[in-house]
Amino acid sequence: MVAIYIGGVLVIIFCFIGIFYLTKSEQVVMLVYKMNMCDKEINEFLDIKESLIIRILNIISRELKAEYKIFDKVKNIKTSKINNYERDILLTEAFEEINKIYLDNPDLKNIKSFDGLIKDVKKNEIKLVSLRTLYNKCTLEFNDLYKKFPYNVICKIRKFKLRSVYQGKELNGEIEKELNFSF
């Protein structure tokens, strides 16, 4: 009789532990899902940014009849094995240099396709900033949970690892003002 009560209590305890694990696990899985979806979209927008920058670089070399060594890494980006973080930094630095060249060469301002490409990169960057912000928000929350019990056990069981955040602009008051005036 006592064994039945003890067995019943153990079953109830294990059910509570299972329910607790499932609810905590769901929270971690949703964060990882959001991070993966953001990372996938960031990759797509980085592909767009990369192709736009390559087109801009072709116009610069054709119109100015000059090659800039600073853009060699960007031109070889397809062959290099870099992750999205490094790719984002590289493309952002390249675009900053392009803006300097754009400002220093008034002839480029007369080329409509060049001006249009610059605007397209800026629009693409706004989308990247919003995705980066969401990704970083989820990553910071996930990394914070990763260090706490029982989430650390769940992450180890599911083989989740800490994630890095993207560098660069994130949505804040200043960026939100830019978003309102961009379209």
Side-chain angles (χ1 to χ4, degrees):
M1 189 70 154
V2 174
I4 294 175
Y5 287 123
I6 292 174
V9 169
L10 287 176
V11 167
I12 291 173
I13 290 173
F14 283 122
C15 286
F16 280 127
I17 291 172
I19 292 169
F20 180 76
Y21 172 81
L22 289 175
T23 57
K24 300 300 179 182
S25 178
E26 182 67 24
Q27 186 178 5
V28 172
V29 169
M30 284 305 297
L31 282 172
V32 170
Y33 174 77
K34 285 180 186 178
M35 290 184 299
N36 290 340
M37 292 307 295
C38 285
D39 205 32
K40 180 182 173 198
E41 286 191 52
I42 287 170
N43 188 50
E44 290 172 10
F45 282 103
L46 284 175
D47 286 343
I48 294 168
K49 185 176 183 177
E50 179 184 327
S51 69
L52 291 170
I53 287 177
I54 296 288
R55 289 172 57 194
I56 290 170
L57 294 178
N58 290 335
I59 292 173
I60 288 173
S61 57
R62 183 181 66 237
E63 294 297 321
L64 300 180
K65 300 193 184 344
E67 292 290 326
Y68 293 89
K69 289 201 181 261
I70 195 161
F71 299 125
D72 286 346
K73 286 183 181 177
V74 175
K75 289 179 180 177
N76 297 322
I77 202 167
K78 294 271 189 225
T79 58
S80 61
K81 300 287 184 203
I82 59 176
N83 61 31
N84 278 349
Y85 305 103
E86 295 165 345
R87 194 167 145 212
D88 186 33
I89 291 168
L90 180 65
L91 292 172
T92 300
E93 289 171 354
F95 189 66
E96 289 171 3
E97 289 300 317
I98 288 170
N99 275 328
K100 290 176 188 174
I101 293 169
Y102 184 58
L103 294 173
D104 292 342
N105 295 285
D107 296 339
L108 292 174
K109 294 177 183 168
N110 297 330
I111 302 170
K112 294 216 182 281
S113 62
F114 190 85
D115 194 46
L117 290 171
I118 294 289
K119 288 178 182 174
D120 288 345
V121 172
K122 288 180 180 178
K123 286 179 186 175
N124 188 64
E125 186 62 26
I126 290 171
K127 294 172 185 171
L128 274 169
V129 167
S130 63
L131 286 168
R132 203 182 298 132
T133 301
L134 179 59
Y135 178 87
N136 286 349
K137 180 180 175 272
C138 292
T139 299
L140 291 172
E141 186 177 341
F142 172 80
N143 288 348
D144 187 47
L145 288 177
Y146 186 88
K147 299 171 187 170
K148 296 178 182 175
F149 181 80
Y151 302 104
N152 55 0
V153 175
I154 294 167
C155 289
K156 294 223 186 297
I157 290 171
R158 295 178 105 6
K159 298 180 181 169
F160 295 145
K161 298 189 187 293
L162 288 172
R163 301 267 185 119
S164 300
V165 294
Y166 281 94
Q167 303 297 314
K169 289 183 180 179
E170 286 195 27
L171 285 178
N172 54 33
E174 178 184 318
I175 302 296
E176 288 175 15
K177 288 178 190 173
E178 286 181 29
L179 286 173
N180 291 332
F181 292 109
S182 295
F183 298 102

